[in-house]
Amino acid sequence: MNESGCAVAPLIWHGDAENGWLEMLDQTQLPTKQVAIECRTAGDVFEGIRMLRVRGAPAIGVAGAYGLILAAQQIHSNSSRAFLGELTRQADWLNSSRPTAVNLSWGLGRLIRLAEKMPDSLSLTDRRSLLLEDAKAIAREDKAMCTAMAQHGLDLIPPGAGILTHCNTGVLATAGEGTALAVIYAAHRAGKNIRVYADETRPLLQGSRLTAWELKKAGVPVTLICDNMAAMVMRQGKIQAVLVGADRIAANGDTANKIGTYTVAVLARHHGIPFHVVAPTSSFDLGIESGTQIPIEERAAQEVICGYGKPTAPEDVDVYNPAFDVTPGDLITSIITENGIIRPVTKEIIEKTLGESWKPGL
Ligand code: MRU
């Protein structure tokens, strides 16, 4: 059980590196069914990520790392060069399952760098075991980062605040209590008497299916709103802070997050409400200068015109369905990381706050 009170984990590894497997909570079934799937191959993990059975940037990073362990189980070459070559090919393939969240590339890149350092003399069994230990460390460290972000973010939440959030950034999206939602859980436990306004988050409804579900389970006061109600609740004075997560943050602070986040940032600026991004260092991509270089995933039209099996538009209508948008850094009041708070959001303060802890991905 997480401290949040939400007794659920998106990913659980079972067994050893040779024969182990990954249990993945199928988030597409929430909130009506709490069922898990068994991932026995890297292909199962690829499918789980692509279909959003597991989703949320940090959780995708952990899933990708475990997916690579399943890939390593199928590599039988004794030559370290052949092992590394095939592992790298599999990592590149897993990384192509979803393009925007940089955590996936970050987790896979970390395991590949570990494999590169392994001596030729190492047995196949030892290679796989070392990789599994590191995949587990990625999950453990993610959990610790959630805790640290929550501590840093707590002071930014005024007592009695209404907090608007978008998409799902909680227990379901990470290996810990979340990014933005970890701050919210901490504020709730600290007795700050907060209320969360959860955007529904069209088209895949992560806000209503997942955020409202996990906050209710944890006993945090939550009010669900449709995305197009955000301006109204801000105008009515119900919102004192916006907290969101991130899928990829460029060197200048431009931040990709779930589609609709940019709209919320513009609204927050108009209403004079602080807009905070909560993200671990694994969500930064200092290899790119600005948000224009962030690859934005486009998803199937069906998600917009026939969400969860219910037709809601003419079948043959043209649809544009980007899964993420980019909020310019100058609309962001602060970025809360496990290393501390970046404020104002500038390239220099980002570099200083991340320091040596930032590592590139694949
Ligand atoms: O498409 P999703 O559900 O993977 O999108 C998730 C988000 O956009 C989250 O806000 C982001 O990953 C930050 S999560 C801690």
Side-chain angles (χ1 to χ4, degrees):
M1 160 100 70
N2 265 291
E3 239 192 305
S4 67
C6 180
V8 70
L11 299 163
I12 302 171
W13 179 266
H14 295 275
D16 61 14
E18 295 295 295
N19 300 300
W21 56 281
L22 181 65
E23 179 182 330
M24 182 185 284
L25 178 69
D26 184 356
Q27 298 188 31
T28 64
Q29 310 259 358
L30 288 171
T32 48
K33 288 192 201 133
Q34 199 173 325
V35 290
I37 57 165
E38 279 184 24
C39 296
R40 298 258 174 199
T41 66
D44 294 339
V45 175
F46 182 100
E47 193 270 352
I49 295 174
R50 171 151 286 181
M51 300 308 292
L52 272 62
R53 301 189 200 289
V54 63
R55 30 66 50 207
I60 294 176
V62 175
Y66 283 133
L68 201 58
I69 308 306
L70 295 171
Q73 289 175 350
Q74 301 306 317
I75 305 175
H76 300 291
S77 169
N78 275 329
S79 126
S80 64
R81 207 160 145 225
F83 180 86
L84 182 61
E86 182 54 16
L87 198 73
T88 306
R89 207 180 64 76
Q90 294 283 331
D92 286 339
W93 175 67
L94 279 164
N95 191 35
S96 70
S97 56
R98 289 194 81 190
T100 303
V102 74
N103 309 60
L104 180 57
S105 156
W106 174 87
L108 292 165
R110 174 165 155 169
L111 292 191
I112 293 298
R113 279 193 294 277
L114 174 67
E116 280 167 355
K117 286 197 211 114
M118 291 177 184
D120 284 348
S121 55
L122 214 59
S123 71
L124 212 42
T125 309
D126 286 345
R127 274 174 213 281
R128 292 181 185 138
S129 297
L130 286 176
L131 289 169
L132 177 60
E133 266 173 44
D134 206 41
K136 287 182 174 172
I138 288 174
R140 266 197 317 275
E141 289 166 25
D142 184 60
K143 186 173 180 200
M145 290 192 278
C146 293
T147 307
M149 289 185 287
Q151 277 158 4
H152 291 303
L154 192 54
D155 287 345
L156 300 179
I157 309 300
I163 303 170
L164 188 134
T165 192
H166 193 73
C167 197
N168 174 266
T169 64
V171 169
L172 293 166
T174 61
E177 279 199 310
T179 55
L181 284 201
V183 177
I184 284 168
Y185 285 127
H188 174 68
R189 278 196 296 270
K192 289 210 177 195
N193 191 26
I194 55 160
R195 170 162 292 271
V196 178
Y197 287 82
D199 275 351
E200 178 184 42
T201 317
R202 278 274 290 153
L204 293 181
L205 308 179
Q206 288 92 332
S208 56
R209 291 189 305 106
L210 310 178
T211 298
W213 181 79
E214 71 162 88
L215 289 179
K216 275 206 73 71
K217 254 173 118 61
V220 179
V222 54
T223 300
L224 178 64
I225 58 170
C226 299
D227 299 340
N228 50 9
M229 297 170 189
M232 171 85 159
V233 292
M234 288 183 184
R235 182 86 176 177
Q236 289 174 332
K238 291 183 162 70
I239 308 297
Q240 282 64 50
V242 175
L243 289 184
V244 295
D247 288 87
R248 191 184 294 234
I249 304 174
N252 70 346
D254 290 354
T255 296
N257 192 49
K258 179 52 55 193
I259 188 75
T261 303
Y262 176 31
T263 314
V264 176
V266 172
L267 292 176
R269 172 62 55 91
H270 180 77
H271 291 92
I273 297 167
F275 179 94
H276 305 294
V277 170
V278 189
T281 49
S282 53
S283 296
F284 284 77
D285 185 353
L286 300 189
I288 57 171
E289 283 300 309
S290 79
T292 56
Q293 293 158 276
I294 298 177
I296 299 293
E297 176 183 11
E298 282 187 39
R299 295 187 63 87
Q302 280 304 99
E303 292 179 353
V304 176
I305 64 173
C306 192
Y308 296 94
K310 167 96 179 135
T312 52
E315 225 181 312
D316 55 353
V317 69
D318 290 338
V319 171
Y320 176 45
N321 184 19
F324 300 93
D325 59 24
V326 176
T327 300
D330 61 11
L331 288 181
I332 301 171
T333 312
S334 61
I335 305 178
I336 301 158
T337 75
E338 76 275 19
N339 288 357
I341 297 178
I342 295 165
R343 184 176 190 161
V345 176
T346 63
K347 191 173 189 302
E348 294 66 37
I349 299 184
I350 289 175
E351 269 170 17
K352 200 167 144 221
T353 308
L354 266 53
E356 293 300 302
S357 55
W358 183 77
K359 300 279 180 301
L362 272 179

